[in-house]
Amino acid sequence: MSRIRIVVADDHAVLRAGLKSLLTAEPDLEVVGEAGDGAMCVELAADLHPDVLLMDINMPTCSGLEALPLIRERAPECKVLALTMHDDPGYLHSILELGGAGFVLKQSAPEELLAAIRAVYDGGVYVSPRHIKLLLEDTLSNPPPQEPRSAQHERYESLSEREAEVFKLTALGHSNTEIADLLFLGVKTVETYKARMMNKLDLHSRASVVRFALELDILQ
């Protein structure tokens, strides 16, 4: 019986070890590589062409959202299953729209993770019933904006350079503390830039920031 070849990508070595132990205990699963950052994740996907890539969204050097389109380009046959702590419709939409085959919360039961891996390997998209409900509620309560894309670009161009940096990092899933570290700013300063950015763009949630970024192809 051929086994499902998996690459595990997460920047926490202890979590990677736990996942590898869980997966290799299954007779139909095989871990063929491990990555600790986004850039390595893309390289392993291109070199090893695994069946499934189990990938954390928040990783150094290159986030999961940045890595997804690169992986889809260099290893199109690889099914990317996102492993995330974000229970946020905006990120769930972004994972699917960037080519992910599904997502599993880090706090999910092991049985759910195993079921998700097998489902995406078989060509399906794995979305838990809870996530389906979240996505449906978000779609119904936040219909896509009707304004022309030119108007969206005009709003985006009104951002200062720093506000634009905070916008992109927010859309990629970084917390205020992580953004502060990346930009060498204080957390309060980041919060101020974020408030100004969201006010200029007329956005009111993290999910709307992600959706706006996807609509303008900024995450590409």
Side-chain angles (χ1 to χ4, degrees):
M1 179 181 67
S2 62
R3 291 190 287 179
I4 301 173
R5 302 172 66 253
I6 304 168
V7 164
V8 176
D10 193 285
D11 59 325
H12 293 95
V14 173
L15 180 57
R16 287 202 312 274
L19 288 170
K20 184 176 181 180
S21 177
L22 170 69
L23 299 176
T24 54
E26 298 296 310
D28 61 330
L29 306 182
E30 176 186 11
V31 176
V32 297
E34 300 178 45
D37 61 63
M40 184 185 299
C41 180
V42 175
E43 291 302 319
L44 284 182
D47 292 342
L48 300 177
H49 293 274
D51 299 310
V52 176
L53 173 59
L54 184 60
M55 180 179 67
D56 183 21
I57 289 300
N58 291 326
M59 289 188 293
T61 71
C62 174
S63 78
L65 293 183
E66 291 174 305
L68 255 171
L70 299 176
I71 294 166
R72 299 301 302 147
E73 178 183 344
R74 299 181 64 180
E77 74 287 352
C78 175
K79 307 297 192 302
V80 179
L81 183 63
L83 188 63
T84 178
M85 295 181 66
H86 294 297
D87 197 356
D88 183 315
Y91 289 101
L92 306 185
H93 279 297
S94 66
I95 290 165
L96 297 178
E97 291 182 36
L98 288 170
F103 33 77
V104 178
L105 287 172
K106 286 188 175 182
Q107 57 266 43
S108 297
E111 293 77 14
E112 182 177 355
L113 174 60
L114 297 173
I117 290 171
R118 293 175 177 125
V120 299
Y121 172 74
D122 288 335
V125 173
Y126 185 83
V127 181
S128 71
R130 168 176 170 74
H131 287 139
I132 291 174
K133 181 173 183 289
L134 285 172
L135 290 170
L136 180 59
E137 289 174 348
D138 180 65
T139 300
L140 293 175
S141 61
N142 298 286
Q146 299 301 311
E147 66 177 332
R149 179 161 293 193
S150 59
Q152 292 177 308
H153 273 290
E154 184 175 343
R155 286 159 58 197
Y156 180 71
E157 291 297 326
S158 72
L159 299 180
S160 70
E161 181 179 353
R162 202 53 120 179
E163 288 165 352
E165 290 175 331
V166 170
F167 170 83
K168 183 176 181 181
L169 291 171
T170 300
L172 289 171
H174 293 286
S175 67
N176 288 350
T177 301
E178 290 170 336
I179 295 172
D181 290 339
L182 289 168
L183 299 181
F184 304 101
L185 299 172
V187 174
K188 290 293 185 183
T189 303
V190 169
E191 291 172 352
T192 299
Y193 280 124
K194 183 178 288 187
R196 290 176 183 169
M197 170 270 291
M198 296 184 74
N199 182 59
K200 287 183 178 180
L201 299 179
D202 193 28
L203 303 176
H204 307 287
S205 68
R206 189 168 58 182
S208 64
V209 171
V210 174
R211 186 178 298 109
F212 191 94
L214 288 170
E215 288 166 356
L216 294 184
D217 293 327
I218 291 169
L219 295 184
Q220 300 292 342

